[in-house]
Every structure is written in C-alpha cells, then in structure tokens.
Amino acid sequence: MIALTDANNFYVSCERVFNPRLEGKPVVVLSNNDACVVARSNEVKALGVKMGTPLFQIRSLIQQHQVQVLSSNYALYGDLSRRVMEVLGQFTPAVEVYSIDEAFLGLAGQSYEIVAHHLRLMVKQWTGIPVSVGVATTKTLAKIANHQAKRMGGSVCWPIQGRCWPNCRWRRYGALGGGSLNDWKPRASPLLYSCNRLTWLWFGSC
C-alpha cells in the first residue's frame, strides 16, 4: 500500500505553530511581493477566497471579517517541511518527497490502518502541523484518497473494495462525488482534462 501525506493549509499551519493566537482565525499568506493569496485557512476558504486571488480584490472582505494577512516566510516553511519529513521517516524508510508539504510513503508489510492514524498523530505532536493521509494501492488512488480525507476534515481515507473509511460510500462515478476528471483538478493534463466522460473510478482501474 502507498500513503500520501499532505499538510493541511501548510503555510498557514506553519504560521500558527509560532503564533498560536492565529488558531481559529481567518488567515491568508501572500506571495513574495504580497500581491496574491498563496495559502488560506479553512475560515478564509469558507468565505470563498480562491487561491491566487489578488490582494486588492479582497481588501473589503479582509476588513469585514478581520482576516489576518501575512507575508510569506519560506525559510520557516522549509524548516518545518524538513521536520515533517523527518517524522515520516520514523515510520518507513520508503519516503518520496513530492513537494514542500507532500510525501508518498511505502507501507509494504505494515498495518497501514494503524500506521496512518499514528502518523497523523505524531506529525501533529512533534511538529504542530496537521496532515491528511490517503492510503491506497497506487499513487493516483492515494492522491484521490487524500483529497477525500481533506473533505472529511483531515481523516484518513482509503478506497478499498468500493468504499472509503469511515462509512463513506463511493458514488457511481468515484469517491469524489461528481464523476468527470474536470470535477477534481482543472490542472490535469490537457489530454485527460479534455476527456469529459472519463471518471476517476475508470482512471484508477487503468
């Protein structure tokens, strides 16, 4: 089995580690030149702010909802990313760093249910960073499972025998509820993105 561990709202979570007063408050982190939103807390996502939104477009919303606006601190994010990856390495030597806040883990020969739950708990305890974990038989399905885990509030989720844990039934066109590839990530490759009738359930079986 393969696990994908992905930090939740990573830049915002890093800022909250060193400033706990930001917990529960709407927070955005801006790009290098403070021009665009590059990270959002769940509270800001609930307000409808999209990734990459220019700051000038949401100034009234910021004032109305007292959104905390922070400049990016990539030295901090890099340091906490390294710490998260070190914790992951305590569970398995098969760690493939995918991005600053994501990594694939090989869980061959391990009880992946137990490892996945302990992994989330230990990363949070040792680094302060909340993570979501998706476990499946392939990297593609692990990515989908992780996406579903985030929708469920960060709970571990994996597609097994047509279902996700806990008690989250797959719909006819897959775990993401809509069906087409377009319903999940518009950044999919042009070929897949153009195949409107393909579904993740079909894609995962390839």
Side-chain angles (χ1 to χ4, degrees):
M1 299 293 283
I2 297 172
L4 175 61
T5 300
D6 187 2
N8 301 338
N9 310 323
F10 182 57
Y11 293 172
V12 171
S13 295
C14 290
E15 298 289 348
R16 284 173 167 172
V17 168
F18 286 92
N19 187 357
R21 290 178 297 179
L22 295 175
E23 286 289 348
K25 295 182 180 180
V27 180
V28 296
V29 176
L30 302 178
S31 55
N32 284 333
N33 56 359
D34 286 349
C36 301
V37 174
V38 295
R40 305 155 294 158
S41 67
N42 289 335
E43 295 82 5
V44 170
K45 292 178 182 180
L47 297 176
V49 177
K50 304 299 182 183
M51 185 71 78
T53 301
L55 179 62
F56 75 88
Q57 291 185 1
I58 58 173
R59 288 197 181 278
S60 60
L61 183 146
I62 289 172
Q63 294 178 353
Q64 179 183 354
H65 296 278
Q66 298 183 331
V67 177
Q68 306 297 304
V69 180
L70 305 175
S71 298
S72 52
N73 183 346
Y74 293 107
L76 170 64
Y77 310 149
D79 181 63
L80 280 171
S81 173
R82 177 184 56 79
R83 296 185 192 185
V84 170
M85 300 307 168
E86 288 178 353
V87 175
L88 300 183
Q90 301 296 314
F91 289 86
T92 174
V95 177
E96 179 185 340
V97 178
Y98 188 61
S99 69
I100 192 172
D101 63 345
E102 294 179 276
F104 288 104
L105 286 74
L107 301 182
Q110 301 188 58
S111 176
Y112 55 87
E113 299 99 330
I114 296 175
V115 171
H117 284 292
H118 285 177
L119 190 152
R120 289 188 63 232
L121 293 174
M122 297 310 296
V123 171
K124 177 64 174 177
Q125 179 179 342
W126 292 354
T127 70
I129 301 296
V131 298
S132 297
V133 182
V135 182
T137 53
T138 69
K139 290 181 178 179
T140 298
L141 291 178
K143 184 74 172 179
I144 298 172
N146 187 280
H147 179 75
Q148 187 72 359
K150 287 183 179 292
R151 288 161 56 109
M152 297 166 61
S155 299
V156 177
C157 175
W158 51 88
I160 301 175
Q161 298 178 350
R163 62 183 177 85
C164 291
W165 182 95
N167 300 323
C168 180
R169 297 287 180 181
W170 281 48
R171 298 189 185 181
R172 179 178 179 183
Y173 294 115
L176 300 182
S180 73
L181 293 171
N182 302 13
D183 293 329
W184 187 55
K185 290 282 188 182
R187 292 173 297 181
S189 70
L191 175 61
L192 294 176
Y193 186 65
S194 67
C195 297
N196 188 54
R197 297 187 179 216
L198 297 182
T199 69
W200 281 114
L201 193 60
W202 176 88
F203 186 54
S205 67
C206 294

